[in-house]
Structures are given as C-alpha cells and as structure tokens.
C-alpha cells in the first residue's frame, strides 16, 4: 500500500501537482513512518510549495533515519538557503559532499554559501555577488524540474495542538508551550540559525509539530529547553540584542532596532510582547501555571512523594532536621517533624504490621 502511494506521489510531483504529491507522501509515511526516502521526497514537495520549515523538518527526519542519504542533506541545504540560513546550509552541504564526492552541486553550493556568509559579514561588496540559485533538487529529479526559482513566501503556521506564548529579555527569547504531562523522551527540539523545530509525540495524544521561522537569528549551541509537568520551556539565545516584535518572521515587519543592553536597569522587568491586540497578563499566567503544578493530582508513589515534598518545603528548619534524622535512622520507616522528640535519641525502625525489620550486614 505504501509503495503504491509512493509511486503515485512521484507521478504527481513529475506532473507539477505538488500539493497532491505532498498529500500522497504524507499518507505513505503514515503507513511506513520509518522509511527515510519518503521524508526526503516529501521535503522536496514542501520546497516546491515554499513550506520551508516543514521541508527542513522532513530532511532532518530523513537524516535521522538514514544518515548516509546524501540527497537529504541537499534538500535540507536547499530549504535553508531559501530561508537565508547559510551557515546551516553549508554544514549540511559539507556532510552531503563527503557522502557523494562525485556530485558537483555540493561544491558549487558550498561556494555560494560562503559568498553569502562573507556578504553578511561585510567581507565582500554586495554588487560583486551573483544571485544564489535556490531551486536545487537531487540528481534523480533533475529531468523534471523547471530552472525558474520559486518566489519566496513564508509558510503558513501548522495547526497547534497546544497553546504557546513567548516573552523576551535583551539576550534571549523564552517560548512556553503549554503541554501538560508530556514525558521528556517524547519531546524533540532542534535549532537552526533562524528556525525552531519542536516535535511532541506522546502515547495516546495527537502528534504536535511547531516549526516557525523565527523573527531573528539565534545561537543554536546556547539554546536549551526543559520539559516540566505542565509546559515545555524553550530558551533561545539571541544572536543580536535586538527587540523581537513577534516570535515568527514576517516580510512586512520593519528592521528592528538594537537594544542598548547597558542601559537596561538591573531591576527592570523584561518586556512581554504579544501578537494579540489584547494585553496578556504574564504574571497572572505564571501564577496560574504554578497553581496548576501545586494542585496537580497524582497517583501512587508520585502522589506520596509530592505530599512529602510539600511538607518539607513548608516546614521550618527544626522540622526539616527532624524529617531527615528520623527517615535516615529508621531506614525509611519513620518520618517525624518533631525535633524535640527525635533530636534527643536515636529513632528506631517501625515496620508495617505483619512485616519484620532486618539489618543488612555489608
């Protein structure tokens, strides 16, 4: 079934029916999600439709499934070059060139990336550079591709399963995805020069993908994320201390102004921009999230551990000392908060009814 869908998808692509090809490749992936070739080919369909962040995500998935597939690196580089992420594109091209040294397009595109990077750094005059051809495809697809590059557009945002918000400081942007009860191993976050890719695949829940082209460039090596009980918090390190007027890139947004970091007072609160006309009370949202974490209903050992943590957190110094001493000396069978009682004597173990306390010799 998946093979038949893949064949139909290729035929649709060759006939320039890119949306149909994209849909057929998606159906084939649903049946065979471990085949790297499907993701690489869907990446090319996304490139033709200018769904560039989706194309990068598909190419990354193909590389994850088959790190030796050279055309996956080529397609990642093609999408990144259209997004003007030349450092990321160059890294992908260098890896692809090592896998397919006979393919001349890798070296040509690496040179073009280097020229664009030099131009960004002010090392070459802009008028001496040629236009970067961004409509690049793998060897197998050369016969079916028009040489005219597609116009640059911004991909439409993916329908969100979870709500997300963001705020910023002069040196970083903090993105919060409100996803409750997600195991950390089900979350994957990737960073590009100007791309954030978040995938959440939790058992029993709809898959979630959030892949915006960011307002400004970031430093991937300095970015990090944490998966908490009620949210996923992602911290993006800004490449430049500019003010982001939105989280996602838009061709209509004016060039932002640099923030004078030295002029920001130490006690000044960070700004909390929002694309919504109604002002968002971030302090209220933070208080609500903390309340949800506190009131979260757990079962079994998790509920018991939370109960003990809450007692310890709210206890005074003597009560904490009593809890630590009684728990250790009783081998985990007694937990007391009365320091006057346990502080003057050794706490003996007290096993549950029907059980016997034994001392182990080492």
């Amino acid at each position: 079934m998946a093979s038949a869908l893949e064949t139909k998808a290729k035929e649709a692509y060759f006939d320039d029916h890119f949306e149909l090809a994209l849909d057929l490749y998606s159906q084939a992936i649903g049946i065979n999600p471990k085949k790297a070739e499907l993701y690489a080919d869907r990446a090319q369909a996304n490139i033709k439709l200018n769904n560039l962040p989706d194309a990068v995500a598909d190419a990354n998935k193909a590389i994850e499934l088959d790190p030796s597939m050279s055309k996956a690196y080529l397609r990642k580089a093609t999408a990144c070059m259209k997004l003007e992420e030349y450092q990321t594109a160059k890294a992908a091209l260098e890896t692809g060139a090592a896998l397919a040294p006979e393919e001349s397009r890798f070296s040509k595109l690496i040179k073009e990336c280097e020229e664009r990077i030099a131009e960004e750094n002010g090392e070459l005059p802009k008028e001496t550079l040629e236009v970067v051809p961004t409509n690049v495809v793998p060897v197998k697809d050369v016969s079916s591709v028009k040489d005219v590059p597609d116009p640059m557009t911004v991909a439409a945002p993916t329908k969100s399963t979870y709500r997300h918000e963001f705020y910023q400081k002069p040196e970083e942007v903090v993105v919060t995805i409100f996803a409750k009860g997600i195991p950390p191993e089900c979350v994957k976050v990737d960073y590009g020069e100007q791309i954030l890719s978040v995938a959440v695949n939790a058992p029993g829940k709809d898959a979630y993908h959030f892949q915006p082209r960011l307002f400004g460039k970031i430093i991937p090596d300095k970015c990090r994320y944490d998966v908490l009980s009620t949210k996923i918090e992602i911290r993006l390190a800004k490449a430049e201390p500019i003010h982001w007027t939105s989280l996602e890139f838009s061709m209509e947004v004016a060039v932002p102004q640099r923030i004078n970091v030295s002029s920001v007072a130490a006690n000044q609160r960070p700004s909390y921009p929002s694309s919504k006309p109604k002002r968002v009370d971030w302090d209220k949202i933070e208080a609500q999230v903390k309340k949800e974490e506190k009131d979260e209903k757990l079962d079994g050992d998790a509920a018991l551990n939370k109960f003990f943590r809450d007692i310890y957190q709210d206890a005074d110094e003597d009560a904490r000392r009593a809890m630590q001493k009684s728990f250790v000396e009783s081998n985990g069978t007694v937990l007391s908060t009365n320091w006057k009682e346990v502080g003057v004597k050794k706490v003996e173990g007290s096993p549950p009814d029907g059980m016997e306390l034994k001392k182990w010799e080492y």
Side-chain angles (χ1 to χ4, degrees), residues 31-271:
I31 297 172
N32 187 3
K34 298 297 184 182
K35 187 173 181 180
E37 185 86 16
L38 294 174
Y39 290 97
D41 289 343
R42 189 172 71 173
Q44 183 63 20
N46 272 318
I47 290 172
K48 298 298 290 184
L49 292 169
N50 284 298
N51 299 333
L52 302 177
D54 291 341
V56 175
D58 278 342
N60 282 335
K61 185 64 177 179
I63 292 169
E64 177 186 336
L65 294 172
D66 185 2
S68 65
M69 182 182 292
S70 61
K71 74 174 182 179
Y73 295 95
L74 184 59
R75 295 189 179 174
K76 178 178 180 178
T78 301
C80 287
M81 290 177 73
K82 281 196 169 190
L83 290 168
E84 299 180 4
E85 297 213 3
Y86 301 112
Q87 292 282 7
T88 304
K90 181 185 175 186
L93 289 167
E94 289 173 344
T95 304
L99 294 170
E102 73 284 353
E103 176 51 66
S104 61
R105 283 179 298 172
F106 283 114
S107 58
K108 180 180 178 181
L109 291 174
I110 288 172
K111 181 179 179 181
E112 290 170 350
C113 283
E114 290 174 344
E115 290 175 349
R116 288 299 184 182
I117 293 169
E119 179 187 342
E120 288 182 346
N121 295 335
E123 297 174 7
L124 289 176
K126 185 175 182 180
E127 56 270 17
T128 63
L129 298 175
E130 298 178 357
V131 177
V132 177
T134 56
N135 192 26
V136 184
V137 297
V139 178
K140 294 183 180 179
D141 298 333
V142 168
S143 62
S144 65
V145 177
K146 279 71 177 174
D147 294 330
V148 181
D150 297 325
M152 177 65 187
T153 62
V154 179
T158 307
K159 184 178 180 181
S160 297
T161 304
Y162 305 110
R163 177 171 61 90
H164 70 273
E165 301 285 359
F166 84 102
Y167 67 90
Q168 66 181 295
K169 302 176 183 178
E171 72 283 357
E172 71 174 0
V173 173
V174 181
V175 181
T176 301
I177 299 174
F178 294 94
K180 190 173 182 179
I182 302 297
E185 62 271 15
C186 297
V187 178
K188 183 176 181 181
V189 180
D190 292 314
Y191 314 97
E193 288 178 78
Q194 202 170 344
I195 289 180
L196 170 65
S197 178
V198 183
V200 180
N201 292 288
K205 298 186 179 182
D206 293 337
Y208 170 79
H209 298 281
F210 180 51
Q211 298 152 350
R213 182 183 180 190
L214 300 171
F215 181 87
K217 291 190 176 184
I218 59 175
I219 307 173
D221 292 342
K222 294 185 179 180
C223 297
R224 59 186 177 87
Y225 71 95
D226 295 300
V227 180
L228 307 176
S229 61
T230 58
K231 62 185 177 180
I232 302 168
E233 189 172 85
I234 305 167
R235 295 185 175 272
L236 305 174
K238 293 180 180 179
E240 295 181 300
I242 59 175
H243 179 79
W244 290 20
T245 58
S246 64
L247 178 62
E248 300 186 35
F249 174 84
S250 172
M251 297 291 288
E252 299 176 358
V253 177
V255 177
Q257 300 297 319
R258 283 178 175 268
I259 296 175
N260 187 355
V261 180
S262 61
S263 66
V264 178
N267 60 349
Q268 182 179 343
R269 298 178 63 82
S271 59

